[in-house]
């Protein structure tokens, strides 16, 4: 279940683009976790909204960063009864909104790797159970694996956003995380929706670099990609049912056009039927209770 942590205190703010989803300050995130635990969900994917952004996304790897604060608070209360996965990317923390360090108007792939590795180590030190790089830089799984090992986190697993398309389905998330790029787009490092062969290439490279789980994102519009990736790897395959998928179901249900529960269930079954072993979903709590 994705959770959004926002810098500050006493904050539980509904996300306008994602009905029934909230931004939480570290002191209020327990409310979201308690609801999930009662529904039978104990695994969370954490995203951060810092108080300030800068060109290098320094809050992402600061010991006092928003995710680090959240990890420490959550682990202090729940210990190993919850499993915390952290998003490793710079887009939520950079003033320009891109997923890496800029060289002019382009993202510098190799320079970005150093920062991604710093983020992963920082999250591991704060108590993360797994890290999930979503940046789509070439070589980032190897860089993160090496950095984690060098700092003693040899058993820290990596769930790689191995197959992440430059998708129109991400709009509501960018509202939730305030992470829209200030110029251009992310098509130079995220994938073209026409290309399936690249998905197999990217998943294979991440597996070779040390990924423990490979992810396909988005989910519902890419069932064929999930199927192809699952057939070509022995690793567990995760699928992220992204914000646009959730928001469309919510909007159509509110308009009386569909049965929300039925569409939610059918969509999730389709993702698993395509070959996913793990589903990341804003409907995780409801799906955990579905019969």
């Amino acid at each position: 279940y994705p959770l959004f942590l926002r810098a500050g205190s006493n904050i539980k703010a509904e996300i306008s683009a994602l009905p029934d989803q909230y931004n939480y300050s570290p002191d209020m995130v327990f409310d979201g976790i308690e609801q999930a635990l009662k529904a039978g969900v104990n695994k969370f994917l954490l995203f951060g909204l810092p108080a300030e952004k800068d060109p290098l996304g320094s809050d992402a790897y600061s010991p006092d960063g928003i995710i680090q604060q959240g990890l420490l608070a959550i682990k202090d209360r729940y210990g190993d009864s919850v499993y915390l996965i952290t998003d490793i990317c710079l887009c939520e923390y950079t003033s320009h909104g891109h997923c890496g360090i800029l060289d002019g108007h382009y993202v510098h792939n190799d320079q970005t790797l150093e920062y991604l590795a710093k983020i992963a180590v920082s999250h591991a030190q704060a108590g993360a159970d797994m890290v999930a790089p979503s940046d789509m830089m070439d070589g980032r799984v190897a860089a993160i694996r090496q950095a984690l090992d060098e700092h003693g986190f040899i058993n820290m697993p990596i769930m790689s956003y191995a197959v992440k398309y430059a998708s129109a389905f991400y709009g509501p998330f960018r509202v939730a995380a305030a992470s829209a790029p200030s110029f251009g787009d992310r098509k130079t490092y995220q994938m073209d929706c026409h290309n399936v062969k690249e998905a197999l290439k990217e998943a294979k490279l991440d597996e070779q670099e040390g990924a423990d789980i490979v992810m396909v994102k988005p989910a519902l519009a890419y069932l064929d990609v999930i199927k192809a990736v699952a057939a070509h790897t022995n690793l567990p395959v995760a699928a992220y049912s992204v914000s646009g998928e959730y928001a469309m179901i919510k909007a159509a249900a509110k308009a009386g056009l569909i049965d929300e529960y039925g569409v939610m269930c059918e969509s999730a079954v389709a993702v698993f039927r395509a070959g996913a072993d793990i589903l990341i979903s804003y409907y995780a709590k409801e799906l955990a209770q579905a019969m």
Side-chain angles (χ1 to χ4, degrees):
Y1 181 55
L3 281 176
F4 296 89
L5 291 166
R6 181 195 288 183
S9 61
N10 200 34
I11 297 171
K12 180 185 176 182
E14 187 170 16
I15 299 167
S16 61
L18 290 171
D20 303 322
Q21 307 300 315
Y22 297 86
N23 287 326
Y24 297 98
S25 53
D27 61 322
M28 293 292 289
V29 72
F30 309 122
D31 180 71
I33 290 176
E34 289 291 345
Q35 291 181 33
L37 290 175
K38 289 177 182 177
V41 176
N42 71 340
K43 298 176 180 66
F44 303 93
L45 178 58
L46 304 182
F47 298 93
L49 288 77
E52 296 182 3
K53 303 187 180 192
D54 59 51
L56 299 180
S58 58
D59 190 276
Y61 44 87
S62 167
D64 298 319
I66 180 58
I67 289 296
Q68 291 80 351
Q69 292 179 42
L71 286 167
L72 291 167
I74 295 167
K75 282 297 184 179
D76 182 61
R77 178 170 295 197
Y78 296 102
D80 291 337
S81 62
V82 297
Y83 194 91
L84 303 180
I85 308 166
T86 59
D87 178 70
I88 306 297
C89 194
L90 285 163
C91 65
E92 300 143 56
Y93 306 92
T94 53
S95 51
H96 48 74
H98 279 282
C99 298
I101 305 302
L102 292 186
D103 180 5
H105 274 57
Y106 294 92
V107 171
H108 194 301
N109 187 99
D110 292 356
Q111 187 178 357
T112 299
L113 300 184
E114 173 189 346
Y115 289 84
L116 297 172
K118 288 169 63 176
I119 299 170
V121 170
S122 177
H123 288 183
Q125 291 170 336
D129 295 297
M130 178 186 288
V131 294
S134 64
D135 55 282
M136 287 300 287
M137 299 297 119
D138 293 336
R140 88 271 205 218
V141 172
I144 289 170
R145 181 75 272 158
Q146 180 178 346
L148 289 171
D149 291 353
E150 288 175 350
H151 285 81
F153 297 102
I154 59 173
N155 294 317
M156 174 68 67
I158 299 172
M159 177 170 65
S160 171
Y161 286 63
V163 182
K164 182 178 179 181
Y165 284 90
S167 173
F169 283 90
Y170 301 151
F173 176 91
R174 291 176 181 171
V175 174
S179 63
S182 60
F183 65 89
D185 54 41
R186 295 175 179 151
K187 292 182 179 179
T188 58
Y189 44 96
Q190 295 179 0
M191 291 171 48
D192 185 336
C193 66
H194 301 84
N195 199 327
V196 178
K197 291 183 178 179
E198 186 182 11
L200 303 181
K201 171 187 172 184
E202 293 288 352
K204 181 178 180 180
L205 286 171
D206 284 5
E207 181 174 355
Q208 292 172 344
E209 291 179 19
D212 300 282
I213 300 169
V214 291
M215 185 199 299
V216 176
K217 179 184 179 184
L220 199 58
Y222 293 86
L223 297 177
D224 61 318
V225 179
I226 295 171
K227 183 176 181 179
V229 171
H232 284 80
T233 182
N234 291 320
L235 293 179
V237 175
Y240 196 148
S241 184
V242 298
S243 60
E245 300 171 46
Y246 174 84
M248 287 193 302
I249 295 173
K250 280 288 186 181
K254 185 177 181 180
L257 300 176
I258 61 170
D259 168 17
E260 181 178 1
Y261 180 84
V263 172
M264 173 194 75
C265 292
E266 192 172 341
S267 299
V269 168
V271 174
F272 285 114
R273 193 177 64 238
D277 304 291
I278 299 164
L279 176 62
I280 302 164
S281 172
Y282 299 96
Y283 276 120
K285 293 181 291 185
E286 293 82 358
L287 288 168
Q289 297 293 302
M291 300 295 291

